[in-house]
Amino acid sequence: MNSKDRLALYENMLLSRRFEEKADELYKEGLVTGSLHLYIGEEAIGGVAMQLREAGDLFTSTHRGVGHTVLCGSDPNRIMAELFGKATGLSGGKGGSMHMFDHAHGLLGTNGIVGGGTSLACGAGITLKLVNHTDRVVFCFLGEGACNEGVTHESMNLAAVWKLPVIFVVENNGYEVFTTAQESCAVTDMAVRAAGYAMPGEIVDGNDVAALEAAYTKAIAHARQGGGPSLIEAKTYRWSGHWPGDVYSYGGYRTREEVDAWKARCPIARLGKLLCAQGAATAADLDGISRRVDETVAASVAFAMESPDPDDDSLTRNLFA
């Protein structure tokens, strides 16, 4: 990425952060309902991947997928409307945070099933090969908890056997709801498992844009050249609890000191400092981006508030019967 790309990435990551902060606030006010699992603190992982994508590349998401949906370029108005359950939402108000879909931006769905996106990514990879789009790739985001699911092992093995252009991105944020990886995984470095599927595996700092770019660039080239899948484990941290109502987050399964230590490694702040140090941006430039982002988020809330609820006829539309 050049300086212009990184500046665009900074704005995209900040938009994801501010959008989710507002969604969290609205959830606590009862305006956003259903499930909401925040991506705050992890924005660099999805952000860099989306910045490096090319036209026709696809990706599968997770239950923590609002951030991915913002980062891929989906309309913030329609994302917020979906969180409000409005007819103008990405899924017509039926899906909420865990069931968004935007094929125009490569999103094959946020997913409420742990590890559910891994088999979908393989299906997409098979499809790309069948229609001779061998220069395209599929990013498959999953958490470290999903690495213990049977479907994940099956999908990684299948992707390796058939040399599918899938890049498995493990967003290792340290916790599977309330359980640490050390308590549930015999091998806590998930990238080590790549050797069992004869695919490249790499551990990177998930809060470091440059490290992510280097790892993704290798994996993308490997896939586009027909080499098959790769596994990238991005070490990161979710700043919030598992969901906004997670009252056990502080003083329960983790400490305030631990959270503060990770906040000091904020990926957005680190990228901002890098841009300024390289002369690609000034503090005034970043302030301007901040104001623009806030305006976009405010507009999305206004759009959602003014949007109509789904009508009764839509209840059974687009469903299998």
Side-chain angles (χ1 to χ4, degrees):
M1 289 186 287
N2 56 33
S3 296
K4 183 178 179 180
D5 292 333
R6 287 191 173 183
L7 199 57
L9 171 62
Y10 177 88
E11 181 163 353
N12 209 21
M13 288 167 58
L14 188 61
L15 175 60
S16 175
R17 171 74 58 86
R18 296 279 173 80
F19 186 96
E20 288 204 306
E21 287 174 342
K22 176 56 70 173
D24 183 33
E25 177 184 319
L26 296 167
Y27 184 95
K28 290 169 181 173
E29 292 176 7
L31 294 172
V32 169
T33 59
S35 299
L36 183 64
H37 301 84
L38 302 175
Y39 197 56
I40 293 173
E42 305 180 37
E43 296 91 350
I45 304 170
V48 176
M50 298 302 109
Q51 193 73 24
L52 294 176
R53 281 188 316 154
E54 295 182 2
D57 290 344
L58 305 169
F59 74 99
T60 62
S61 184
T62 68
H63 60 285
R64 207 171 295 282
V66 174
H68 294 154
T69 309
V70 174
L71 290 163
C72 79
S74 286
D75 182 356
N77 289 353
R78 297 189 65 202
I79 301 170
M80 189 65 79
E82 186 61 36
L83 296 181
F84 273 67
K86 296 300 184 79
T88 54
L90 273 180
S91 299
K94 294 180 179 180
S97 69
M98 291 201 289
H99 299 93
M100 294 191 189
F101 183 89
D102 189 352
H103 190 266
H105 289 91
L107 172 59
L108 300 181
T110 54
N111 203 307
I113 300 173
V114 176
T118 55
S119 58
L120 299 180
C122 285
I126 292 168
T127 302
L128 292 178
K129 292 192 73 170
L130 288 175
V131 297
N132 293 319
H133 288 313
T134 53
D135 60 336
R136 297 182 184 177
V137 302
V138 184
F139 282 94
C140 175
F141 295 100
L142 64 153
E144 78 283 356
C147 290
N148 291 335
E149 295 289 331
V151 67
T152 300
H153 295 283
E154 294 163 358
S155 298
M156 289 185 178
N157 183 66
L158 184 70
V161 170
W162 287 356
K163 292 191 178 299
L164 302 180
V166 178
I167 300 170
F168 295 98
V169 182
V170 178
E171 300 177 314
N172 188 343
N173 62 28
Y175 289 95
E176 302 155 29
V177 188
F178 309 141
T179 306
T180 65
Q182 288 78 8
E183 294 175 282
S184 64
C185 302
V187 177
T188 55
D189 288 332
M190 304 302 155
V192 172
R193 301 184 182 190
Y197 307 110
M199 69 173 76
E202 183 173 354
I203 299 171
V204 297
D205 180 349
N207 291 8
D208 185 332
V209 164
L212 286 162
E213 180 183 358
Y216 285 147
T217 298
K218 284 189 290 184
I220 290 169
H222 181 74
R224 293 200 201 285
Q225 293 165 8
S230 298
L231 194 164
I232 296 171
E233 179 186 0
K235 303 280 192 182
T236 187
Y237 197 82
R238 55 171 163 85
W239 289 14
S240 64
H242 180 63
W243 80 100
D246 181 2
V247 297
Y248 305 104
S249 182
Y250 302 126
Y253 60 91
R254 61 183 190 170
T255 65
R256 175 68 69 176
E257 290 74 20
E258 178 181 293
V259 177
D260 289 344
W262 275 96
K263 284 185 176 182
R265 299 171 60 184
C266 173
I268 298 174
R270 287 171 71 176
L271 178 55
K273 289 178 182 177
L274 178 64
L275 289 168
C276 291
Q278 294 177 336
T282 64
D285 293 329
L286 300 187
D287 286 341
I289 289 173
S290 179
R291 288 192 296 273
R292 188 160 61 242
V293 162
D294 285 343
E295 290 169 0
T296 299
V297 173
S300 75
V301 176
F303 177 83
M305 296 282 281
E306 295 165 4
S307 291
D309 293 325
D311 57 42
D312 292 343
D313 291 340
S314 71
L315 184 62
T316 57
R317 198 178 303 142
N318 300 323
L319 298 177
F320 290 107

